[in-house]
């Protein structure tokens, strides 16, 4: 673990402790990916019109291919797919029990 930490510190990308508070999941993801204060008055997916310089865009500019995996089975819930596409993710998928092996499937509830 220490070697990994030292690597990221040298690369200029390391956070010792991170706390992200939000009312619901998508708002929490926006806080983390876009350095925004949490939106509490309305749904982000329905009202997200800003062009943001978010983490996926920053990583893509450095040559990374970005992927977003949702733990919930429906990526369209709360328009998560729309928001993550606008943020610049290349691959956007929901976790589907069918794509898991037997060991992984036993942890889905």
């Amino acid at each position: 673990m220490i070697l990994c930490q030292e690597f990221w510190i040298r690369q200029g990308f390391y956070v010792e402790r991170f706390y992200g508070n939000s009312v619901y999941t998508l708002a929490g993801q926006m806080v983390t990916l876009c350095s925004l204060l949490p939106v509490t008055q309305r749904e982000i997916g329905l009202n997200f019109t800003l062009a943001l310089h978010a983490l996926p865009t920053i990583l893509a500019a450095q040559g990374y291919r970005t992927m977003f995996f949702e733990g919930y089975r429906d990526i369209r819930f709360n328009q998560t797919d729309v928001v993550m596409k606008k943020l610049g993710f290349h691959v956007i998928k929901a976790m589907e029990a069918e794509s898991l092996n037997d060991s992984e499937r036993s942890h889905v509830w």
Side-chain angles (χ1 to χ4, degrees):
M1 181 67 177
I2 291 175
L3 292 176
C4 182
Q5 288 175 350
E6 291 172 2
F7 170 80
W8 287 114
I9 289 169
R10 283 194 309 272
Q11 298 297 315
F13 184 85
Y14 180 77
V15 177
E16 183 71 30
R17 289 182 179 85
F18 171 78
Y19 302 96
N21 298 327
S22 179
V23 177
Y24 64 103
T25 304
L26 187 57
Q29 292 164 343
M30 294 293 287
V31 168
T32 304
L33 297 170
C34 304
S35 297
L36 297 174
L37 293 173
V39 174
T40 59
Q41 301 300 317
R42 59 186 176 265
E43 298 289 326
I44 288 176
L46 301 175
N47 298 292
F48 176 50
T49 57
L50 297 174
L52 299 171
H53 192 62
L55 184 59
T57 306
I58 295 166
L59 291 173
Q62 297 300 313
Y64 289 91
R65 183 166 185 244
T66 58
M67 297 185 277
F68 176 84
F69 291 94
E70 174 78 4
Y72 185 62
R73 67 182 173 273
D74 184 3
I75 194 68
R76 295 169 304 201
F77 177 74
N78 212 17
Q79 293 191 346
T80 300
D81 56 337
V82 173
V83 173
M84 294 306 154
K85 184 174 183 164
K86 285 183 180 181
L87 291 182
F89 280 101
H90 296 110
V91 176
I92 303 162
K93 294 189 180 250
M95 178 60 72
E96 296 182 22
E98 297 80 28
S99 65
L100 304 175
N101 65 38
D102 290 336
S103 174
E104 295 165 331
R105 198 173 292 119
S106 68
H107 298 286
V108 176
W109 40 274

